[in-house]
């Protein structure tokens, strides 16, 4: 997958009501480490959290929704969220340039 040409997807994850919050908190560092690995590999872009709505928003850079699911499955927090995947418009020239810089840095 070329990060400069791959499709982007916005994943909206909502925390499940039956989540064990102690277990969730216990693996937070593992989640952050995995996000950084995926970001450095050009597979994750933006990541936002809305604690008030118990939701997270993750930009995934992938060739297709199957690859999005594979990427999400590597995240320790994945089992705590119900996720919806939204394909986004192709990256514009500025985003392509940013991705190219990010993968060569």
């Amino acid at each position: 997958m070329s990060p400069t040409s791959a499709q982007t997807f916005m994943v909206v994850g909502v925390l499940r009501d039956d989540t064990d919050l102690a277990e969730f908190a216990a693996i937070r560092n593992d989640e952050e480490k995995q996000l950084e690995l995926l970001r450095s590999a050009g597979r994750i872009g933006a990541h936002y959290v809305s604690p008030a709505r118990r939701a997270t928003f993750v930009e995934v850079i992938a060739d297709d929704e199957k690859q999005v699911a594979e990427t999400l499955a590597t995240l320790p927090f994945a089992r705590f969220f119900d996720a919806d995947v939204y394909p986004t418009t192709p990256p514009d020239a500025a985003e392509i340039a940013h991705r190219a810089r990010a993968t060569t840095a």
Side-chain angles (χ1 to χ4, degrees):
M1 168 184 60
S2 167
T4 60
S5 63
Q7 171 71 42
T8 59
F9 299 82
M10 184 55 64
V11 178
V12 180
V14 178
L15 194 63
R16 293 188 181 117
D17 289 336
D18 64 348
T19 297
D20 178 337
L21 295 178
E23 181 183 1
F24 186 82
I27 63 171
R28 179 173 307 280
N29 286 338
D30 294 337
E31 177 78 1
E32 290 172 3
K33 286 177 187 174
Q34 183 63 13
L35 281 169
E36 283 305 313
L37 285 172
L38 292 169
R39 193 172 285 116
S40 67
R43 295 173 59 191
I44 293 284
H47 176 240
Y48 301 98
V49 177
S50 174
R53 296 290 180 116
R54 298 171 53 109
T56 187
F57 305 87
V58 181
E59 178 188 36
V60 178
I61 302 160
D63 291 326
D64 53 35
E65 289 192 35
K66 180 181 180 223
Q67 198 172 55
V68 172
E70 291 168 357
T71 296
L72 293 175
T74 70
L75 293 169
F77 280 179
R79 68 179 181 263
F80 299 114
F81 287 91
D82 291 321
D84 286 319
V85 177
Y86 299 89
T88 60
T89 58
D92 61 18
E95 179 62 19
I96 290 171
H98 169 75
R99 290 180 190 180
R101 282 189 308 275
T103 59
T104 59

